[in-house]
Amino acid sequence: MPLGEELRGHLPYLRRYARALTGSQQHGDNFVHTTLEVIVAAPDEFSVGNGTRIDLYRNFHRIWESAYIDDGEGDDDGEDPFVLAANRRLAQITPLGRQILLLTALEGFSVDEAAIITGTDQLTVETLLAEAVADLDRESRTSVLIIEDEPLIAMELEQIVRELGHSVAGVATTHADAVAAFEATDAGLVLADIQLADGSSGIDAVQDILAIAPVPAIFITAFPERLLTGGRVEPTFLISKPFRENTVRAAISQSLLFTPQLAV
């Protein structure tokens, strides 16, 4: 099978990971684009025998690592205040630790696989992962609005949110209820399903919410590839159903570091 075809199926998930890592659709996609350019320029150097998915993320890591080193030396004058706040929080978590957390919690790689991708060893991965989790536990608490029409999933999300130390602003099952609930609370984060009880859209609900106040939003769907097509503005933070607690935890912590990215 040609390399391009092998890579195609993994790209939506690499783009999701890149966006969660950078907190920006544009920046995340730029990193992925650069990674692909490097692979195209030197295809013989792409694979080291770990499998296409691991090798793809390994190549991405090399791009991210080199770019991140230069990224912190720019002038902050005129920088967006949301970005400045995010950078201050990110300084509390090492870049590699944050990447390892996302590789394991969001992308489902094992500790051994994360070590291969990041060019480290198992002990380093385990140590940085523990440190990243501890750092995330120290993140500021917020109130979370849950937009979910399936009661069992809503209850599970409520439990996860509370176990993380956050409070639940409310649970809404429709577009209209979600907007009304947001206006009536001080929610600082939104967890939103895509398809709601009355046939309305969680994406539309989040659009209206972000028109009221700029809060981070995390989308939850059983079909993430339908949203990560590259054909329109897409969510930065996207969780696949069925989800794991660690995935939700990582997404919540990462999303609170950045200004929200609107999905339409």
Side-chain angles (χ1 to χ4, degrees):
M1 180 185 298
L3 179 59
E5 293 185 17
E6 291 186 49
L7 295 176
R8 185 173 295 113
H10 300 297
L11 289 181
Y13 302 96
L14 180 64
R15 293 173 66 213
R16 173 185 66 180
Y17 167 71
R19 295 171 188 193
L21 187 65
T22 63
S24 164
Q25 176 184 341
Q26 179 181 350
H27 291 161
D29 285 353
N30 285 344
F31 273 109
V32 172
H33 182 74
T34 301
T35 301
L36 294 177
E37 286 184 334
V38 171
I39 293 172
V40 169
D44 294 339
E45 299 178 10
F46 167 74
S47 177
V48 294
N50 296 305
T52 301
R53 183 168 183 252
I54 293 176
D55 285 335
L56 176 61
Y57 280 73
R58 182 182 62 84
N59 278 268
F60 175 90
H61 169 75
R62 293 165 60 188
I63 302 298
W64 158 258
E65 185 180 42
S66 61
Y68 189 90
I69 291 174
D70 296 330
D71 201 35
E73 299 181 359
D75 188 354
D76 286 340
D77 291 344
E79 185 70 84
D80 187 287
F82 284 103
V83 176
L84 291 176
N87 288 338
R88 286 192 291 269
R89 293 172 182 166
L90 287 172
Q92 301 173 12
I93 307 174
T94 65
L96 183 56
R98 188 167 70 256
Q99 188 171 12
I100 287 172
L101 177 65
L102 290 172
L103 285 170
T104 54
L106 184 64
E107 299 304 314
F109 287 107
S110 68
V111 168
D112 289 340
E113 290 170 338
I116 293 172
I117 291 169
T118 57
T120 57
D121 54 48
Q122 182 176 343
L123 178 60
T124 299
V125 169
E126 290 176 343
T127 300
L128 289 176
L129 184 58
E131 291 175 355
V133 170
D135 288 336
L136 293 179
D137 286 340
R138 291 191 289 270
E139 287 297 324
S140 58
R141 306 307 181 196
T142 191
S143 181
V144 182
L145 173 62
I146 298 172
I147 307 173
E148 172 60 63
D149 64 336
E150 296 186 33
L152 291 180
I153 294 179
M155 289 176 60
E156 184 177 0
L157 290 173
E158 284 188 79
Q159 181 178 351
I160 292 172
V161 166
R162 290 197 170 99
E163 286 179 351
L164 287 173
H166 304 295
S167 61
V168 177
V171 178
T173 60
T174 67
H175 176 170
D177 288 345
V179 175
F182 183 79
E183 291 178 325
T185 65
D186 59 349
L189 172 67
V190 176
L191 295 179
D193 193 1
I194 301 298
Q195 297 179 348
L196 302 179
D198 60 350
S200 58
S201 167
I203 294 177
D204 292 339
V206 170
Q207 282 184 305
D208 289 346
I209 286 172
L210 293 184
I212 299 170
V215 297
I218 299 171
F219 290 91
I220 302 172
T221 176
F223 307 100
E225 64 277 4
R226 294 183 182 177
L227 292 179
L228 298 176
T229 63
R232 60 180 180 179
V233 179
E234 301 160 348
T236 294
F237 299 99
L238 180 64
I239 295 176
S240 303
K241 287 184 178 181
F243 53 78
R244 297 180 299 167
E245 178 178 345
N246 284 344
T247 302
V248 178
R249 177 179 183 145
I252 288 176
S253 297
Q254 283 292 113
S255 69
L256 290 175
L257 298 173
F258 298 100
T259 185
Q261 301 295 313
L262 178 59
V264 295

